[in-house]
Amino acid sequence: MKINYNDMLMMLWNLDENVAVFSDFSKWDLNEDNLIIEAKKEGKKVILINKENNNLLYTIPTKGMEIKASKANVDLVVWYGFNEQFDYELIKNNLNIKKAFVFDNNIDLEHIKKAFSFEIFIMKYNNSLNELTKKSKIALREGKFKDYQKINNFNYSFSGFVSQGNQLGRTIGYPTANIIVDNHLILKPGVYVTIVKLPSFDEQLQGISVYWTNKQGVSVFETHILNFEQDIYGWGIEIEMLYYIRESIEVKDFNHLKKLLNEDKKIAINYFKGE
């Protein structure tokens, strides 16, 4: 189960008594696995508490956290609007948390200790156990998505909102859904084969994407969705990374750009065919 919780709603979820693991699960490694094992020794339901930050910075995407949480037989609780002034005492009561499990390097450790008093287990964070996170970051920065998938058993993905660009792609038959990423993505700039997921569509859509910095100095992730014409400006969109095609190159004119895109499209179509 995934709970989206924010300090504006302050909902009481009527959860059973549980123990909570507080950590940054966007960098989930063996440390988190060990802390969850300790939490399970209490014999109560275990929930995971993760600050909801900019998902473009995540090494482990939200979906990946859910997959890992499911395999660990625990629930994942995601907060929105969580900050250092957040009332941990309120969270403790609202979610019926009886004991907190946390690392000694948690930036909110003193706040958590104050809320849970003696009902807290503090584990020393072991820097030698985060090799999988380091390898995952290297794979993303080098465009090696098979390596990333092999390490984590799921694909890397991120989400954002579609903003309106200059619409030049539309003039050559390649309209794009643009996400302003402000150079936050842990990705190598270039052209990719991607999967696109939209909130009102059950099926996964195929796409070719480019991560680049435009002439205005804005970092943008643009995706042309194959066989799709609907206007989705302002929509939430999720991008799943599959394959790195090539580096971005400076184009001479629209004809040159269209030629490159046609070649990229062929590669993407063949990829989806398994060729």
Side-chain angles (χ1 to χ4, degrees):
M1 180 178 64
K2 175 183 174 183
I3 296 176
N4 295 335
Y5 185 102
N6 67 52
D7 53 357
M8 293 181 67
L9 293 177
M10 290 299 181
M11 286 187 173
L12 180 63
W13 289 93
N14 296 316
L15 294 181
D16 295 333
E17 282 191 2
N18 61 81
V19 296
V21 179
F22 293 83
S23 186
D24 180 1
F25 290 100
S26 70
K27 299 176 182 177
W28 191 324
D29 56 38
L30 293 178
N31 282 289
E32 279 72 21
D33 289 340
N34 290 339
L35 192 55
I36 290 170
I37 289 172
E38 289 297 327
K40 284 185 174 182
K41 292 179 182 179
E42 293 293 312
K44 288 184 170 60
K45 184 177 181 181
V46 178
I47 64 174
L48 311 184
I49 310 298
N50 185 72
K51 283 189 176 181
E52 181 70 6
N53 296 311
N54 184 350
N55 85 107
L56 303 178
L57 299 171
Y58 288 0
T59 303
I60 303 297
T62 300
K63 179 182 289 184
M65 295 182 219
E66 293 177 29
I67 292 172
K68 290 173 79 70
S70 177
K71 288 182 178 180
N73 195 30
V74 297
D75 290 333
L76 174 66
V77 181
V78 179
W79 262 273
Y80 291 91
F82 197 118
N83 55 53
E84 62 183 359
Q85 285 79 41
F86 201 85
D87 191 337
Y88 279 92
E89 184 69 35
L90 188 61
I91 287 299
K92 171 186 174 182
N93 294 331
N94 280 359
L95 298 181
N96 206 9
I97 301 170
K98 298 307 176 183
K99 189 172 183 177
F101 288 75
V102 63
F103 291 114
D104 61 347
N105 65 349
N106 191 302
I107 62 173
D108 289 339
L109 181 58
E110 292 307 313
H111 297 290
I112 298 171
K113 286 169 66 176
K114 183 178 179 181
F116 286 90
S117 186
F118 297 105
E119 296 301 320
I120 185 170
F121 177 92
I122 303 174
M123 177 179 281
K124 182 175 177 58
Y125 187 86
N126 189 338
N127 286 313
S128 67
L129 297 180
N130 62 2
E131 286 301 312
L132 293 180
T133 299
K134 292 178 182 177
K135 290 179 180 179
S136 292
K137 285 184 177 180
I138 292 172
L140 293 177
R141 287 173 178 152
E142 295 181 353
K144 297 178 179 179
F145 298 112
K146 285 186 178 180
D147 289 351
Y148 181 92
Q149 206 280 338
K150 186 176 180 179
I151 293 169
N152 297 290
N153 295 313
F154 49 77
N155 291 329
Y156 173 77
S157 62
F158 68 94
S159 60
F161 291 93
V162 179
S163 61
Q164 188 164 351
N166 54 26
Q167 298 185 328
L168 291 179
R170 190 178 298 275
T171 65
I172 57 174
Y174 283 92
T176 58
N178 303 337
I179 302 175
I180 306 300
V181 296
D182 293 330
N183 204 30
H184 289 316
L185 277 176
I186 312 174
L187 287 178
K188 180 180 180 180
V191 181
Y192 296 88
V193 178
T194 54
I195 286 289
V196 180
K197 299 171 187 177
L198 297 172
S200 60
F201 287 76
D202 293 330
E203 70 272 23
Q204 297 181 343
L205 305 173
Q206 300 173 352
I208 52 173
S209 304
V210 59
Y211 176 34
W212 70 302
T213 301
N214 63 25
K215 293 181 179 179
Q216 290 72 43
V218 179
S219 296
V220 184
F221 195 94
E222 299 188 25
T223 300
H224 171 68
I225 306 174
L226 303 182
N227 304 312
F228 185 82
E229 298 181 356
Q230 187 170 333
D231 184 346
I232 56 173
Y233 290 128
W235 285 36
I237 185 173
E238 181 183 350
I239 306 293
E240 182 176 326
M241 311 302 298
L242 298 180
Y243 178 72
Y244 184 81
I245 298 177
R246 62 174 174 84
E247 295 183 354
S248 298
I249 61 175
E250 186 174 352
V251 296
K252 301 174 184 178
D253 50 39
F254 279 170
N255 288 332
H256 183 207
L257 175 60
K258 188 169 184 178
K259 180 180 178 181
L260 287 172
L261 291 175
N262 285 340
E263 293 172 354
D264 296 335
K265 184 176 180 179
K266 288 180 181 178
I267 292 173
I269 291 173
N270 289 335
Y271 179 92
F272 286 117
K273 287 180 178 178
E275 298 178 1

